[in-house]
Amino acid sequence: MGMGAHRMNVPEELAEYKLERAELAIALPADWKLVQESMQDERWYWPIRLLKVLARLPIASDTWLGFGHTMDNKENFAENTKLCAAILTGPQSTEEGGEVCTLPGGEEVNFYQVIPLYREEIQYKLEHGSDALLDLCPDESLEVINPHRLNVVTDREKISYDPAEMDNAAEQIK
């Protein structure tokens, strides 16, 4: 699931990196309910709302989005999760070079994956930086949204977990 952004107001000193255009993506489990009826329920709708909020942010605040940027929702995204913030990373599980697409006119579109975070995780990022937070994350452990995933800051000793734990979102959300 993805959502594009308009040309963003990137700081002049970063102009050479061609960061004005971004495409945001979020990875949902195969059984995530996306039918019209379930979209009325915040337990299923919040990832889509998150994409929309992030896509509007550059326009609303005359700012830009890039790797490592975070957004704090201030409250939990839904009643069934304590996830309450998000970080932008490079797309997970893409081929080398899959994070940028050059348009016919030479403009570049940068792809970012939206990773929802817990309160302790966004605090850790604010204190130590994006790279430090992402270094705590086991490979691909944050790739697919799981409203009940382990917290990479507070559950570090438990994180040797089985990816199969992420497979059944519908079972966990009931």
Side-chain angles (χ1 to χ4, degrees):
M1 178 143 295
M3 188 154 302
H6 300 277
R7 285 184 65 83
M8 299 181 289
N9 185 14
V10 175
E12 219 171 289
E13 63 271 20
L14 298 175
E16 64 182 286
Y17 298 108
K18 298 187 179 179
L19 301 171
E20 290 83 11
R21 291 189 178 274
E23 188 77 29
L24 305 177
I26 206 159
L28 298 171
D31 61 347
W32 197 270
K33 293 186 180 173
L34 292 169
V35 295
Q36 195 65 41
E37 188 182 336
S38 60
M39 290 294 95
Q40 310 303 310
D41 186 338
E42 206 58 38
R43 292 176 306 164
W44 299 105
Y45 182 65
W46 68 263
I48 289 83
R49 180 187 303 286
L50 175 57
L51 275 182
K52 288 183 172 185
V53 166
L54 285 166
R56 289 187 193 120
L57 201 59
I59 304 157
S61 306
D62 194 27
T63 186
W64 64 293
L65 294 173
F67 181 91
H69 286 191
T70 47
M71 181 278 269
D72 190 344
N73 195 55
K74 306 289 188 206
E75 56 187 41
N76 297 348
F77 289 123
E79 64 188 27
N80 66 317
T81 185
K82 290 191 166 68
L83 294 166
C84 62
I87 188 168
L88 300 186
T89 70
Q92 312 289 306
S93 299
T94 57
E95 293 176 19
E96 192 67 36
E99 63 280 351
V100 178
C101 172
T102 305
L103 301 176
E107 280 194 300
E108 291 183 354
V109 179
N110 298 278
F111 290 88
Y112 301 105
Q113 184 152 347
V114 179
I115 307 286
L117 300 177
Y118 289 112
R119 170 69 40 222
E120 296 83 2
E121 293 169 340
I122 191 169
Q123 282 303 131
Y124 190 91
K125 183 269 181 183
L126 295 172
E127 290 167 22
H128 304 282
S130 307
D131 290 340
L133 173 64
L134 296 172
D135 285 347
L136 294 181
C137 304
D139 290 348
E140 300 173 7
S141 66
L142 306 184
E143 185 178 334
V144 177
I145 285 186
N146 174 354
H148 309 290
R149 71 167 172 81
L150 293 174
N151 182 319
V152 301
V153 174
T154 59
D155 296 323
R156 270 191 260 189
E157 69 287 349
K158 295 181 196 164
I159 295 182
S160 54
Y161 64 176
D162 179 359
E165 182 188 326
M166 297 174 147
D167 290 345
N168 301 314
E171 290 303 310
Q172 297 176 20
I173 288 176
K174 281 179 187 162

